[in-house]
């Protein structure tokens, strides 16, 4: 059974068609012309439209266009009189499913409608599958197993199908833009554009013209009219990065777009309708900005409808192994270098580090490590000197430093377990060097049993020549 809409100005014709098609169990609604059809289409979804061509208030092509605006999967069948074959061709070009030349046999009509209904069903199934695929790809790009990242993925799935303005917060490099793109990809707007603008990167006047567009002569140098990002992102998503940096006048304009969906280009008085979903991001505390009167309170409440906070990487170290794996594969492809493996020692060193630049810093650091590593392994030595200082402070500790001075060399934020691991590795290596690789003596000096030492050496991937 399909939902059918019959459009014809002759009531007699409508009745015959409807009676015919109801025999196949279809649900049939009829419309007496283009305007009537538009009404019906705004009220319900149809699988197939059977439309006459020439009607007093328009043509079948008009009906087709109205139907396509709403849902491109609806199949439209044209009824044309013999002799108007060029109209039939025109309708096919415009995207009709088929046409029937009058007069036609009822069986032919019924068979054509069945084929059209099947066509619509397949198109819809296909687009559902595509949506699911995009959703899947979108969420799998965000790597991490920590509960914080799992939560972020869940929030993305929740907010994506809506039109709500999402506000993504997090330190630099935590993946705010990545999350914004994922929301877009999982949203019904996925097939339209995703535009991004960094509000902190442009001067006040440039930013306004970038966002809202300008008319010719709006300011010196505006020798041509230009649409802004809001118009360019029509039906899609606009990502406003560092939204806290927007000037107060720009905030007022943004509020207007968010409340009535209208933008006015600089130098114009004519508002234009836009349908844009806004996603904002900031590394600041927007509420503090609001209290300091640097951010409008009314805009604050609009923007903060759906907040997503991404914690810093140092608070979710369990994501490190997967992130490293992910980036190494990407880097190998990009730099065309052979496959590299991160040693446990290098991973330990990374775990002890605070990552002020978060995931972006991790990626850059691995890229450098891939370039400087010669073998197929990434050793701690391939990591930058500021990470090595974690090791050095461990060595100071082992030298029985007096007092707590050595503590000042430890980065402000560390992961204690990772830090202790790197100290342990350092001490093992030093002791083995001192004992010339003699494990029994090393175990004694470290106060470990032989088997404990063996276990620790294996854990740190330290290979010692057999004694
Ligand atoms: N969870 C993650 N999984 C995979 N890649 C990630 C993840 N988080 C961040 N990245 C990657 O790290 C880099 C930085 O991410 P992004 O640009 O989204 O951060 P940001 O928060 O917008 O940073 P900034 O505040 O500096 O603009 C990108 O290459 C991004 O793909
Ligand atoms: Mg960013």
């Amino acid at each position: 059974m399909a939902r059918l809409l019959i459009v014809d100005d002759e009531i007699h014709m409508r009745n015959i068609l409807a009676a015919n098609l109801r025999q196949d169990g279809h649900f049939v609604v009829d419309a007496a012309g283009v305007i009537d059809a538009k009404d019906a289409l705004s009220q319900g979804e149809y699988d197939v439209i059977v439309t006459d061509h020439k009607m007093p208030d328009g043509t079948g092509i008009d009906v087709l266009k109205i139907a396509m605006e709403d849902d491109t999967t609806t199949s439209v069948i044209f009824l044309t009189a013999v002799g108007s074959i060029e109209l039939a061709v025109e309708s096919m070009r415009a995207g009709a499913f088929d046409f029937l030349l009058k007069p036609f046999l009822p069986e032919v009509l019924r068979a054509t409608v069945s084929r059209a209904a099947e066509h619509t069903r397949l198109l819809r199934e296909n687009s559902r599958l595509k949506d699911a695929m995009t959703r899947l790809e979108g969420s799998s790009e965000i790597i991490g197993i920590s509960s914080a990242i799992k939560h972020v993925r869940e929030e993305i799935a929740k907010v994506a199908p809506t039109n709500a303005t999402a506000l993504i917060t997090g330190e630099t490099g935590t993946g705010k833009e990545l999350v914004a793109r994922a929301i877009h990809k999982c949203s019904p707007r996925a097939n339209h554009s995703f535009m991004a603008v960094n509000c902190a990167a442009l001067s006040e006047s440039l930013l306004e013209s970038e966002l809202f567009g300008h008319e010719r002569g709006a300011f010196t140098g505006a020798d041509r009219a230009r649409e802004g990002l809001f118009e360019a992102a029509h039906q899609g998503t606009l990502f406003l990065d560092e939204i806290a940096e927007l000037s107060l006048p720009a905030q007022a304009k943004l509020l207007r777009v968010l409340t009535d969906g209208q933008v006015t280009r600089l130098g114009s008085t004519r508002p234009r309708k836009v349908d844009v979903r806004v996603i904002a991001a900031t590394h600041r505390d927007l509420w503090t900005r609001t209290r300091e009167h640097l951010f409008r309170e009314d805009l604050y409440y609009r923007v903060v409808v759906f907040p997503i906070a991404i914690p810093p990487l140092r608070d979710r170290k369990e994501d490190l192994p997967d992130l490293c794996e992910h980036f190494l594969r990407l880097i190998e492809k990009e730099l065309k270098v052979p496959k590299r493996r991160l040693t446990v020692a290098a991973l330990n060193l990374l775990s002890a580090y605070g990552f002020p630049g978060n995931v972006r810093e991790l990626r850059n650091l691995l890229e450098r490590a891939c370039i400087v590593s010669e073998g197929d392994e990434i050793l701690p030595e391939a990591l930058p000197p500021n990470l090595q200082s974690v090791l050095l402070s461990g060595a100071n500790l082992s030298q029985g430093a007096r007092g707590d001075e050595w503590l000042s060399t430890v980065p402000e934020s560390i992961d204690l377990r990772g830090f202790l691991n790197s100290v342990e590795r350092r001490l093992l290596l030093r002791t083995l060097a001192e004992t010339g690789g003699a494990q029994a003596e090393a175990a004694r000096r470290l106060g470990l049993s032989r088997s404990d030492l063996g276990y620790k050496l294996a854990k740190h991937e330290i290979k010692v020549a057999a004694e």
Side-chain angles (χ1 to χ4, degrees), residues 141-143 172-178 323 326-327 359-360:
E141 267 177 8
I142 297 172
I143 309 289
T172 177
T174 42
K176 297 186 291 292
E177 179 153 358
L178 185 73
L323 280 170
H326 170 71
F327 286 136
V359 185
R360 178 179 303 111

Side-chain angles (χ1 to χ4, degrees), residues 140-144 149 153 168-180 198 239 241-242 281-283 310 316 319 323 326-327 330 357-361 363:
S140 62
E141 267 177 8
I142 297 172
I143 309 289
I149 284 298
R153 275 196 290 259
I168 307 164
T169 52
E171 289 178 10
T172 177
T174 42
K176 297 186 291 292
E177 179 153 358
L178 185 73
V179 168
N198 185 342
F239 176 50
D241 204 356
E242 300 301 356
T282 178
H283 70 280
I310 318 175
R316 44 183 172 103
D319 290 342
L323 280 170
H326 170 71
F327 286 136
L330 284 179
N358 292 291
V359 185
R360 178 179 303 111
E361 185 180 8
R363 191 195 157 120

